[in-house]
Amino acid sequence: MEGFSRRDFLKTTAAVGVGAAAGLGFPAILKAQGGGSVKVGVLHSLSGTMAISEVSLRDVCMMAFEEINAKGGVLGKKIEATVVDPASNWDLFAEKAKQLLLQDKVAVTFGCWTSVSRKSVLPVFENNNGLLFYPVQYEGEECSKNVFYTGATPNQQLIPAAEYLMSKEGGGYKKFYLLGTDYVFPRTANKILRAFLLAKGVPADNIAEEYTPFNHQDYQTIVGKIKRFATGGQAAVLSTINGDSNVPFYKEFANQGLRSENAPIMAFSVAEDELRGMDTSALVGHLAAWNYYQSVDTPQNKKFVQAFKAYAEKTKLPGGSKRVTDDPMEAAYFGVYIWKQAVEKAKSFAVDAVRKAVYGQEFLAPGGKIKMDEANHHTYKPVLIGEILKDGQFKVVSRSKGLVKAEPWSKYTSPDKGCDWVKEKGTYQKKA
Amino acid sequence: MVRVIVRRLRGVVVLALLSGWFAAPAAAAVPPPEVARHIADVASADGAVQEGAAVALGKTGDRKILPLLEALREGSVYVRGLPGGKKETVIVGDKVSKGDKTLVPVFSAYGREPLTGPGGKPLLVELSSLQEVSAGRSLRLALRPLIDAFSGQSDLINPDPAVRRAAATKMGNAGDPSALPTLTDALAKEQDRWVRHAVEEAMALIRLREGTEAERVLAARRLGELRSVNALERLQELSVDAQAPAVIQQAARDALKRIERWGLLTQAIEIGFQGLSLSSILLLMALGLAIVFGLMGVINMAHGELMALGAYATFVTQNWFTAHAPASFDYYFLVALPVSFLVAGAAGFLLERGVIRFLYGRPLETLLLTWGVSLVIQQGLRVWFGAANVDVTAPKWLSGGIPVMVGVQLPYNRLFIIGLAAVCVTGMYLLLFRTDAGLRIRAVTQNRGMAACLGVRARRVDALTFAMGAGLAGLAGCALTQIGNVGPELGQNYIVDSFMVVVTGGVGKLLGSILAAVGIGGLNKIIEPSMGAVFGKVLILVFVILFIQRRPSGLFAAKGRYADS
């Protein structure tokens, strides 16, 4: 302990303390100049288990605000962001949402990742007539007047992926192993996938379903089961495994001699940002289904990726120019712009006026043109199947023809339900 | 000899073609006239003409066509106008932006050789001056089997046996009779036993589908001999297929029986190995704890974090190798093993000298204190390395596995850990029971006062024992980088399992820990296939609780007159 004096210790501790306080505690505020300003909220976990994913969404939202402010703001007002940290704690999400709406009186909030956090803030936004843009693919079965969903619904991710695997082009697979982490998204996703596969004539014997706890590390038994299931080369794995369990899973898969040529894994929760901390050699050749990849080849995406890397470097975000963009980040980014366009169309920041103006709004997002639905608060998006490359990027192997309309209620599990905020009052029963 | 060289060369050429890159071609290859006509037709606006030309090109079997077919699928085929009104089909490479222009390098359609401009430099042309050849869905569908046939052929001569095996298995599953000559060729040259097995299996599978009656019966019999699990489904269909001749049905039934019996055997062996692997991991994690907790009576809540230190030491060693000795990267792990032992051991030594020695005999205080230390280490790792997981790449010799029998492949990383656990346990045993130092440790453990009276420096023994326990934790952390994630929370994931093993085994008993690890690991793997991972874990905990109820002091209770009991 000789080389480490008490002063050094104090300095380090102070630095760590200040860093933590700046990152976690106090709301960061972008100072506005002249012409007044408009307050918006950012509600993403900056600490706790979800921080790994959600911090990037905060970053990309802040970048969008900066871009908009540099071009004169919204309706002549600069965006002033109030960033709060709900710390991956679901109750705290509701508390912080209340604070944003009642105390800070924000015009709009961008936030949430996990479904449970969204469910926890939902009553707050509905009771106080707030406005939330939610950027992550989710299990559907929701239709709130106060939320705009810029991520994918099951029919924009799960179903096209299964369809691709069943098609001649995708390999004509006939058996499916549904594997997920044990919580609401994988359970609901697999319920929908199973209903879809059964409807397409896949016999129930050819569908296996299995769940593992969060942080599960020992995939020996499951991979052994998949190996027996996949004999004959007609089986694919549909994986909703979340978080860092993916690394041991893919490793074990490769080490037991299974390869993507004979049994591909189609992942729904593995994107570029997650691949950053992984040894990708075991993942190469496997598939994923998203609506955007960093490798999408459009001029506006090139600009977006470069801008984000430059932003990360300029603001000294950890990772700097090595940062990557991915699907939820793109959805968070264009959500900000959709809100801006809607405000400009409505010529007002009032929630009800803005909501109506969002309907049908179009935007040239980094991944291509997207469009907000006229009535169901979700987004028309393209669907892209990508193959994992060695550098942690994806090569697009199949893309949907045009944009796919979002179905918050899957026609395979809830054929009688629909979502419409123009002609109906949200979720309604379809007439037979 | 000449033939061997020619074959080698052919392999090289194919590889170069596949990677789509020629460093310096001597002269551009000229396609035969018929092929040239097809290449022109591929760019046709008429979908039917396009498809016909693509299929005809595929049928030529000319490997120089492969890049064109792949480019068609990717959408990187363009038509370039030549002076004199002529047109040429070309493949374009990655785009380069220059100002507001987008430039692309162009390659010949036949062989994908870079086209050169004046001065011999690779030609860059403006993308907008080219006309894109669009590939509709139906063309893309037609292209896939053509490309697969090519890549199957080239994969069969890939230097990596795993790739060759996968290619053969895929061909067998596809069941295309036109692949038979390629497979026969490959079999004649193949040396690797497991690739040979896959190739033979593929050939039998194809013959089972398309062949004379005698051939099909032979094929079914052969599949039975090969214990081909890949053929299970096909044979099942055949055995109940009323259309098939009776002899074939019978042959299929016989083969099925053989394969199924083999399947039971392999499954049993697999479960045995999985149990052994899990046990070795548990043992490795618990060994350090068994020494610290068992011999010294210190409840070390920071044990998990000492493992994390070992894992991060491995990460740092890996990075050092990437930066300073990339050529010998594969050996970083061998260096990381002692490094992680020393790093965690040193941390353990400091911990003991710094704080724990003041608290011997006060279990509650040590528990709280080591828990605090664990939080400090965890947060320290988070501040230093970031909250996200870090990437520890497996060295080549620990990736993949060794096929020991048909249907069973044992992963190298798990074999290595089993070996490591065995070495650690043996080393521990020898140290404790065959050396003077071990004698002193046991003496201090049993009766500190008496040992001190006889001249044993009890304090020093304490520090070294603790350091050794910590070092073993570091070693476990290093081994775990090969099967799990490395992050600041690594320790939290393993600490409960470690305590479970030590407590079940009986405090202070090495043999108890070994048996407990084997019991818990084996039981887990026997339960898991039928109950699933979640219930498996729950059941194991229930068993352990019931067991502790009946035998509060674990498998082997400490007997005799211990000073402090």
Side-chain angles (χ1 to χ4, degrees):
Chain A
M1 293 299 281
E2 292 301 320
F4 195 69
S5 70
R6 174 176 290 180
R7 187 183 292 163
D8 283 341
F9 177 71
L10 282 179
K11 262 199 296 204
T12 323
T13 326
V16 169
V18 169
L24 317 176
F26 313 119
I29 291 173
L30 282 178
K31 272 275 166 270
Q33 314 131 342
S37 63
V38 55
K39 273 189 175 175
V40 306
V42 175
L43 181 64
H44 283 300
S45 301
L46 308 179
S47 53
T49 94
M50 289 310 298
I52 293 176
S53 303
E54 287 193 67
V55 165
S56 297
L57 298 191
R58 189 254 338 240
D59 297 340
V60 81
C61 282
M62 298 303 279
M63 179 178 96
F65 301 152
E66 200 184 273
E67 283 176 8
I68 292 172
N69 283 345
K71 286 186 184 151
V74 188
L75 288 185
K77 293 187 182 214
K78 300 269 174 181
I79 294 175
E80 184 185 321
T82 307
V83 180
V84 291
D85 176 21
S88 310
N89 173 343
W90 321 136
D91 298 328
L92 205 54
F93 262 94
E95 215 170 283
K96 293 284 178 187
K98 214 173 258 172
Q99 178 199 325
L100 284 175
L101 288 178
L102 301 181
Q103 198 178 312
D104 296 312
K105 303 214 183 310
V106 296
V108 61
T109 303
F110 301 94
C112 297
W113 180 294
T114 59
S115 288
V116 49
S117 69
R118 190 190 64 251
K119 296 268 186 213
S120 118
V121 302
L122 209 56
V124 179
F125 279 92
E126 287 177 350
N127 294 339
N128 300 297
N129 199 25
L131 188 58
L132 171 72
F133 277 78
Y134 174 68
V136 184
Q137 37 79 253
Y138 81 118
E139 68 279 1
E141 311 199 340
E142 199 175 287
C143 175
S144 169
K145 192 179 177 183
N146 300 86
V147 183
F148 282 101
Y149 306 81
T150 54
T153 53
N155 75 305
Q156 292 173 314
Q157 191 198 22
L158 307 174
I159 305 287
E163 261 170 353
Y164 172 76
L165 287 172
M166 291 168 87
S167 74
K168 217 165 121 193
E169 161 128 22
Y173 293 96
K174 296 193 170 65
K175 298 171 80 178
F176 298 89
Y177 204 102
L178 314 182
L179 179 62
T181 304
D182 205 358
Y183 76 105
V184 57
F185 172 67
R187 289 251 175 205
T188 319
N190 286 343
K191 187 179 78 181
I192 294 168
L193 278 170
R194 178 181 282 272
F196 166 77
L197 293 170
L198 290 173
K200 289 286 163 194
V202 176
D205 283 350
N206 286 357
I207 306 172
E209 199 172 330
E210 176 125 25
Y211 298 92
T212 58
F214 268 106
N215 282 327
H216 192 63
Q217 307 260 338
D218 185 358
Y219 278 93
Q220 291 187 87
T221 306
I222 288 175
V223 170
K225 271 195 206 173
I226 294 175
K227 202 158 111 184
R228 275 186 286 283
F229 186 78
T231 57
Q234 299 198 318
V237 180
L238 296 170
S239 158
T240 34
I241 294 182
N242 261 257
D244 55 12
S245 291
N246 276 302
V247 180
F249 171 57
Y250 281 94
K251 255 190 199 166
E252 188 69 38
F253 199 82
N255 285 347
Q256 285 203 24
L258 285 165
R259 299 178 59 91
S260 60
E261 287 96 326
N262 293 316
I265 303 168
M266 173 73 79
F268 299 117
S269 302
V270 176
E272 289 91 335
D273 216 23
E274 280 79 37
L275 290 177
R276 271 199 299 153
M278 285 191 194
D279 166 15
T280 46
S281 52
L283 284 78
V284 172
H286 289 292
L287 302 162
W290 289 106
N291 310 98
Y292 165 87
Y293 297 105
Q294 182 181 318
S295 63
V296 166
D297 191 16
T298 61
Q300 58 274 15
N301 185 41
K302 222 172 257 169
K303 233 192 272 166
F304 173 60
V305 174
Q306 271 167 11
F308 184 68
K309 284 181 190 288
Y311 177 81
E313 193 146 46
K314 188 184 76 185
T315 49
K316 303 219 163 47
L317 299 177
S321 63
K322 282 191 189 139
R323 290 287 289 268
V324 294
T325 60
D326 66 10
D327 183 280
M329 287 169 71
E330 191 230 18
Y333 177 78
F334 75 66
V336 175
Y337 276 93
I338 289 287
W339 173 76
K340 168 183 180 269
Q341 289 181 6
V343 167
E344 282 165 354
K345 186 183 169 200
K347 297 199 175 55
S348 153
F349 290 104
V351 168
D352 288 313
V354 172
R355 182 174 57 239
K356 280 186 191 117
V358 168
Y359 300 146
Q361 203 62 247
E362 287 181 3
F363 180 68
L364 192 60
K369 199 177 81 174
I370 55 98
K371 186 183 158 197
M372 299 307 291
D373 194 272
E374 269 88 1
N376 73 14
H377 281 229
H378 288 68
T379 314
Y380 279 83
K381 312 186 85 174
V383 185
L384 310 174
I385 312 288
E387 199 180 290
I388 302 175
L389 302 175
K390 198 158 178 54
D391 58 357
Q393 291 290 320
F394 291 82
K395 177 187 156 193
V396 177
V397 293
S398 164
R399 79 176 58 231
S400 63
K401 233 180 203 162
L403 299 178
V404 179
K405 182 185 161 84
E407 285 169 13
W409 293 98
S410 168
K411 63 174 170 243
Y412 295 100
T413 47
S414 316
D416 52 339
K417 285 189 182 154
C419 171
D420 190 327
W421 278 105
V422 176
K423 289 193 206 108
E424 312 270 346
K425 287 204 167 70
T427 298
Y428 66 98
Q429 294 288 322
K430 282 182 187 163
K431 284 167 197 106
Chain B
M1 191 59 196
V2 174
R3 259 183 55 194
V4 173
I5 292 172
V6 168
R7 199 183 302 142
R8 288 256 166 85
L9 277 177
R10 209 166 65 188
V12 171
V13 168
V14 167
L15 283 178
L17 265 177
L18 280 176
S19 59
W21 184 253
F22 261 104
V30 179
E34 200 185 338
V35 173
R37 192 165 50 81
H38 291 317
I39 289 177
D41 281 352
V42 160
S44 159
D46 182 346
V49 175
Q50 245 188 334
E51 212 174 309
V55 172
L57 282 175
K59 286 269 152 65
T60 60
D62 188 339
R63 288 187 198 280
K64 292 202 163 178
I65 284 305
L66 180 59
L68 176 66
L69 298 181
E70 278 176 339
L72 259 179
R73 241 178 81 88
E74 280 169 14
S76 54
V77 175
Y78 285 76
V79 173
R80 184 163 83 110
L82 291 177
K86 275 198 188 165
K87 285 189 173 168
E88 182 189 23
T89 314
V90 291
I91 303 171
V92 306
D94 289 336
K95 291 172 195 158
V96 206
S97 299
K98 219 178 223 173
D100 50 351
K101 283 187 200 163
T102 308
L103 299 178
V104 284
V106 288
F107 299 88
S108 69
Y110 188 68
R112 198 179 191 273
E113 290 158 24
L115 298 180
T116 46
K121 277 190 187 161
L123 192 60
L124 280 174
V125 298
E126 214 174 313
L127 189 63
S128 53
S129 72
L130 300 173
Q131 186 195 345
E132 189 178 348
V133 175
S134 66
R137 191 171 159 75
S138 122
L139 176 62
R140 285 158 51 82
L141 285 183
L143 282 170
R144 188 178 168 106
L146 299 176
I147 293 173
D148 277 356
F150 273 114
S151 61
Q153 279 172 29
S154 52
D155 282 353
L156 274 179
I157 52 170
N158 191 295
D160 181 358
V163 173
R164 297 203 297 271
R165 265 179 88 184
T169 306
K170 195 171 175 185
M171 283 173 144
N173 287 332
D176 180 4
S178 66
L180 269 179
T182 322
L183 285 168
T184 320
D185 240 26
L187 187 64
K189 293 175 206 156
E190 189 56 61
Q191 303 290 327
D192 185 286
R193 180 182 158 206
W194 298 102
V195 182
R196 285 184 69 88
H197 180 270
V199 172
E200 279 192 68
E201 181 185 34
M203 289 169 65
L205 263 170
I206 295 171
R207 290 209 176 104
L208 184 68
R209 198 168 299 201
E210 318 261 341
T212 62
E213 191 176 302
E215 264 178 355
R216 292 176 74 188
V217 171
L218 268 179
R221 210 168 287 158
R222 186 78 192 121
L223 286 170
E225 283 163 16
L226 291 169
R227 272 89 178 178
S228 156
V229 276
N230 280 317
L232 264 182
E233 251 162 71
R234 185 75 199 117
L235 288 170
Q236 239 143 23
E237 280 166 30
L238 259 184
S239 65
V240 292
D241 183 1
Q243 313 273 312
V247 267
I248 296 182
Q249 280 190 39
Q250 188 53 46
R253 266 197 291 275
D254 292 345
L256 262 184
K257 231 180 261 163
R258 264 184 115 153
I259 299 170
E260 273 163 3
R261 234 179 293 146
W262 186 256
L264 284 181
L265 179 68
T266 55
Q267 201 171 340
I269 290 173
E270 239 170 45
I271 290 180
F273 177 77
Q274 288 168 0
L276 192 63
S277 163
L278 182 59
S279 308
S280 67
I281 293 165
L282 286 174
L283 185 57
L284 209 50
M285 294 188 313
L287 205 55
L289 196 67
I291 288 166
V292 172
F293 183 34
L295 297 183
M296 308 176 68
V298 173
I299 301 177
N300 182 14
M301 296 298 283
H303 183 73
E305 275 58 40
L306 291 170
M307 286 199 286
L309 277 184
Y312 274 98
T314 311
F315 173 66
V316 172
T317 313
Q318 169 201 270
N319 288 355
W320 188 88
F321 266 79
T322 329
H324 296 100
S328 38
F329 178 79
D330 269 347
Y331 302 105
Y332 86 84
F333 193 64
L334 295 180
V335 179
L337 280 170
V339 167
S340 55
F341 183 88
L342 291 177
V343 167
F349 185 79
L350 287 180
L351 186 59
E352 203 276 343
R353 287 283 84 183
V355 277
I356 289 181
R357 67 174 163 138
F358 303 115
L359 297 169
Y360 279 125
R362 291 154 73 182
L364 273 181
E365 280 90 334
T366 33
L367 187 141
L368 277 176
L369 177 106
T370 50
W371 187 58
V373 169
S374 84
L375 292 181
V376 170
I377 298 181
Q378 223 180 89
Q379 196 56 33
L381 289 173
R382 205 171 277 136
V383 168
W384 196 264
F385 293 98
N389 288 347
V390 296
D391 164 15
V392 177
T393 309
K396 274 219 179 62
W397 52 277
L398 282 181
S399 318
I402 176 168
V404 286
M405 53 198 268
V406 177
V408 180
Q409 175 164 333
L410 305 183
Y412 291 124
N413 55 358
R414 296 195 178 272
L415 286 172
F416 180 83
I417 289 175
I418 292 175
L420 185 66
V423 168
C424 286
V425 169
T426 319
M428 213 63 250
Y429 174 81
L430 291 179
L431 181 82
L432 279 181
F433 295 98
R434 292 284 182 274
T435 63
D436 284 354
L439 190 66
R440 288 202 191 95
I441 293 176
R442 284 184 293 143
V444 172
T445 307
Q446 289 183 7
N447 195 328
R448 170 179 297 271
M450 183 58 88
C453 283
L454 292 172
V456 178
R457 290 164 69 184
R459 285 285 167 101
R460 219 180 99 178
V461 169
D462 285 339
L464 288 179
T465 315
F466 195 91
M468 195 171 62
L472 281 171
L475 209 57
C478 177
L480 285 170
T481 59
Q482 296 306 310
I483 50 167
N485 290 301
V486 182
E489 289 95 10
L490 179 140
Q492 305 287 302
N493 295 335
Y494 296 112
I495 185 84
V496 176
D497 287 340
S498 311
F499 268 107
M500 197 161 76
V501 169
V502 173
V503 171
T504 313
V507 173
K509 291 288 173 177
L510 213 52
L511 184 66
S513 295
I514 298 173
L515 286 182
V518 171
I520 292 175
L523 200 59
N524 195 334
K525 285 296 152 189
I526 292 169
I527 297 173
E528 208 189 314
S530 51
M531 306 289 287
V534 184
F535 277 108
K537 196 131 208 182
V538 171
L539 265 185
I540 289 288
L541 281 172
V542 171
F543 278 135
V544 168
I545 290 168
L546 288 179
F547 181 80
I548 298 288
Q549 288 275 327
R550 285 202 66 84
R551 296 188 68 127
S553 41
L555 270 175
F556 292 91
K559 286 184 210 122
R561 290 181 289 177
Y562 277 71
D564 51 1
S565 57

